[in-house]
Amino acid sequence: AGTTNDILKQAITSINREFSGTPYEIIIVGPSWLKKESFLSHIKIVPYYELNISPGLITKKKNMGVATAIYDKIILSHDYVALESGFRAGFEKFGYNFDVCMTPVINSDGSRWIDWLGYFPEIGFAMIPYEIEGTKYQYINGTYFIVKRNFFVKFPLDERLRWNEGEDSLWSSQI
């Protein structure tokens, strides 16, 4: 979790809006200062402290969050990712026959974000049209994705890697 409360509040508000009336939980893996925030009173906090000599262990944080989860479908995202209005309805229309999935991700300016990618040895990363289902070159960006709990427990992220060390590229190639 980051330290910018307004951005975190926007993400939490979007989750609460989309999942209100259904069983869900929000798990935040982060520092103890979060417990003092009143807007987090109904949210599960998993304490996590980084050492200055070893920052960026996002893999460990994600693995910890999933290990704590009680529901089968998990949205793993950074704290600055908010859900658009209608997310849940669109997701339910998509269905639950998946191990890992992505939804379109749109930047605040309306442009497409790096949401549905492939890593092709000949050309590198490339956007894939949404109509094309995954290939052996599919890349799942670690900023945001949806995964079934049991699948992720079976195939956790490699905790030896930190943010921006190819942790999501490795995971994508392994799964």
Side-chain angles (χ1 to χ4, degrees):
T3 57
T4 307
N5 285 352
D6 290 340
I7 294 172
L8 180 60
K9 285 180 187 179
Q10 288 174 11
I12 291 169
T13 299
S14 74
I15 295 166
N16 288 334
R17 178 193 67 235
E18 289 303 303
F19 290 96
S20 177
T22 64
Y24 72 99
E25 64 183 339
I26 299 173
I27 300 169
I28 298 175
V29 180
S32 61
W33 65 263
L34 289 168
K35 292 181 183 181
K36 300 172 188 168
E37 300 296 325
S38 61
F39 72 95
L40 298 172
S41 61
H42 68 286
I43 296 169
K44 188 186 300 183
I45 305 291
V46 177
Y48 179 81
Y49 308 93
E50 285 190 337
L51 301 173
N52 289 338
I53 59 170
S54 184
L57 279 174
I58 193 72
T59 51
K60 183 174 181 76
K61 291 172 76 172
K62 289 178 181 179
N63 290 345
M64 289 171 67
V66 170
T68 304
I70 61 173
Y71 296 106
D72 183 45
K73 290 173 284 302
I74 298 171
I75 299 170
L76 277 171
S77 73
H78 290 221
D79 57 359
Y80 52 83
V81 176
L83 303 179
E84 283 190 336
S85 185
F87 170 87
R88 188 174 123 214
F91 188 75
E92 288 176 356
K93 183 179 176 183
F94 173 77
Y96 302 107
N97 186 22
F98 67 87
D99 291 318
V100 179
C101 74
M102 292 284 305
T103 62
V105 179
I106 307 301
N107 292 313
S108 58
D109 66 2
S111 63
R112 180 178 169 186
W113 189 68
I114 50 174
D115 54 3
W116 193 239
L117 298 172
Y119 180 75
F120 303 94
E122 307 82 28
I123 61 171
F125 288 104
M127 301 289 267
I128 299 173
Y130 292 133
E131 303 78 40
I132 297 176
E133 292 192 23
T135 70
K136 68 179 182 175
Y137 300 112
Q138 190 74 46
Y139 165 74
I140 306 297
N141 187 305
T143 301
Y144 157 86
F145 60 94
I146 304 163
V147 65
K148 295 273 183 85
R149 183 186 188 283
N150 290 340
F151 183 83
F152 193 86
V153 168
K154 185 176 176 181
F155 300 103
L157 290 164
D158 186 337
E159 292 184 10
R160 294 173 296 176
L161 298 176
R162 292 173 175 75
W163 176 81
N164 207 27
E165 290 184 344
E167 74 288 353
D168 45 8
S169 298
L170 176 63
W171 188 74
S172 295
S173 69
Q174 291 172 336
I175 62 168

